[in-house]
């Protein structure tokens, strides 16, 4: 039986964890390593750190954060933000990260996924996709029937790519996991975008992590049972003490979802 995972997400800006709504209106949530230690103690399966300004500001990756986390946390963690080459990934992995997440750089050069998978193995490569629902299809845009468009640079720039098609291409190029964020739901606490999650989960044969919109424990279960996700990414509901990771897992277990307690 495959265990479903609960993964706290720590968006990092200038060394602090922040959280906003629809990728804007950021507010402070604490020190990343202190939060990581708390989630480790509560039973989180993994952690994801996303340097949310790295791609936009062309900064170096957060190698030092990876090193501090590896010294204090004993569960797997992923680092994303500013990974543009195998050398960038090597630095983060050498510092103690278990996986790297790529987004903007992979859209700009899809061969990056193949390079990373070929160098480190698919199990180390997470393709992050920020997707937004489009009511109208722009003329000439590469948008399929899903109408979910991929955005890059922290959700600032539309790409014309269809989210489901990009997820499929990314896994064909070697990504071992998809981190799928609904920009429309992110930070709203209205629940995950189940239609988008299900569409991607049905299109790929690798694990899909649902992200964006968790506001109740029921939302986490829905992402797995209705959305087909293999894992759920959560931020606000954990950062500000509304729920603990343990409470989330206990609720999922009552719904018949296999989890590690």
């Amino acid at each position: 039986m495959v265990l479903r995972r609960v993964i706290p997400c720590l968006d990092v800006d200038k060394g602090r964890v922040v959280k906003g709504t629809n990728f804007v209106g950021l507010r402070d949530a604490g020190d990343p390593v202190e939060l990581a230690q708390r989630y480790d103690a509560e039973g989180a399966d993994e952690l994801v750190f996303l340097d949310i300004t790295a791609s936009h500001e062309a900064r170096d990756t957060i190698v030092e954060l990876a090193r501090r986390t590896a010294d204090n946390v004993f569960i797997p963690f992923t680092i994303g933000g500013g990974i543009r080459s195998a050398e960038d990934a090597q630095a983060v992995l050498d510092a103690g990260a278990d996986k790297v997440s790529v987004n903007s750089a992979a859209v700009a050069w899809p061969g990056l996924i193949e390079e990373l998978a070929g160098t480190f193995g698919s199990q180390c490569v997470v393709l992050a996709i920020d997707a937004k629902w489009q009511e109208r299809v722009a003329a000439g845009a590469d948008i399929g029937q899903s109408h979910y468009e991929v955005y890059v640079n922290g959700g600032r720039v539309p790409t014309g790519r269809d989210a489901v098609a990009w997820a499929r291409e990314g896994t064909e190029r070697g990504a071992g996991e998809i981190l799928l964020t609904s920009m429309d739901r992110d930070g709203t606490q209205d629940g995950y975008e189940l239609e988008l999650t299900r569409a991607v989960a049905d299109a790929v044969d690798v694990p899909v992590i649902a992200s964006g919109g968790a506001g109740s424990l029921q939302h986490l279960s829905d992402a797995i049972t209705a959305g087909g996700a293999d894992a759920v990414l959560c931020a606000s509901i954990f950062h500000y003490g509304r729920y603990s990771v343990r409470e989330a897992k206990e609720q999922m277990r009552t719904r018949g979802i296999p989890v590690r307690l």
Side-chain angles (χ1 to χ4, degrees):
M1 185 176 293
V2 178
L3 297 177
R4 305 306 180 185
R5 292 166 291 153
V6 176
I7 307 175
C9 179
L10 299 95
D11 292 336
V12 180
D13 182 21
K14 299 179 179 65
R16 298 287 292 179
V17 176
V18 297
K19 190 57 190 170
T21 302
N22 304 127
F23 286 42
V24 296
L26 302 179
R27 59 180 177 138
D28 188 88
D31 177 78
V33 177
E34 290 179 3
L35 283 175
Q37 289 177 291
R38 187 179 98 196
Y39 297 142
D40 186 3
E42 289 179 1
D45 296 291
E46 299 179 24
L47 299 168
V48 170
F49 295 91
L50 298 177
D51 188 353
I52 61 172
T53 54
S55 296
H56 177 58
E57 297 179 356
R59 298 184 313 180
D60 292 336
T61 53
I62 43 179
V63 175
E64 182 57 31
L65 174 58
R67 187 172 294 112
R68 289 177 57 212
T69 302
D71 288 342
N72 292 278
V73 174
F74 305 99
I75 55 176
F77 66 93
T78 300
I79 292 281
I83 304 292
R84 303 177 183 87
S85 65
E87 291 74 21
D88 289 337
Q90 185 75 67
V92 168
L93 295 171
D94 285 348
D98 297 271
K99 307 175 191 177
V100 293
S101 170
V102 292
N103 188 337
S104 303
V107 172
W109 178 49
L112 175 62
I113 301 171
E114 294 168 308
E115 179 178 283
L116 295 177
T119 304
F120 307 109
S122 293
Q123 77 282 354
C124 290
V125 183
V126 179
L127 176 60
I129 299 175
D130 298 330
K132 187 175 183 179
W133 173 257
Q134 299 297 319
E135 289 292 343
R136 294 185 177 86
V137 179
D142 180 23
I143 300 293
Q145 62 180 355
S146 71
H147 300 326
Y148 289 99
E149 184 175 0
V150 176
Y151 277 64
V152 294
N153 292 97
R156 297 172 179 85
V157 181
T159 66
R161 283 183 176 269
D162 172 66
V164 177
W166 175 230
R168 187 182 296 113
E169 179 183 343
T171 59
E172 290 171 350
R173 289 180 178 272
E177 204 160 19
I178 299 293
L179 171 52
L180 180 66
T181 300
S182 165
M183 291 180 58
D184 301 298
R185 296 297 185 97
D186 182 74
T188 66
Q189 301 191 30
D190 291 334
Y192 297 96
E193 180 55 81
L194 299 180
E195 179 183 340
L196 169 63
T197 305
R198 172 57 71 179
V200 172
D202 288 346
V204 302
D205 57 2
V206 303
V208 174
I209 305 170
S211 170
S216 72
L217 299 184
Q218 183 65 44
H219 292 156
L220 277 61
S221 297
D222 290 344
I224 291 170
T225 58
D230 296 87
V232 286
L233 202 75
C234 308
S236 299
I237 65 170
F238 293 153
H239 294 344
Y240 302 112
R242 184 172 182 183
Y243 301 107
S244 69
V245 174
R246 176 78 184 193
E247 288 173 326
K249 287 192 167 186
E250 288 175 345
Q251 194 275 348
M252 293 165 71
R253 197 174 194 180
T254 64
R255 291 286 306 275
I257 299 170
V259 295
R260 177 184 64 87
L261 287 177

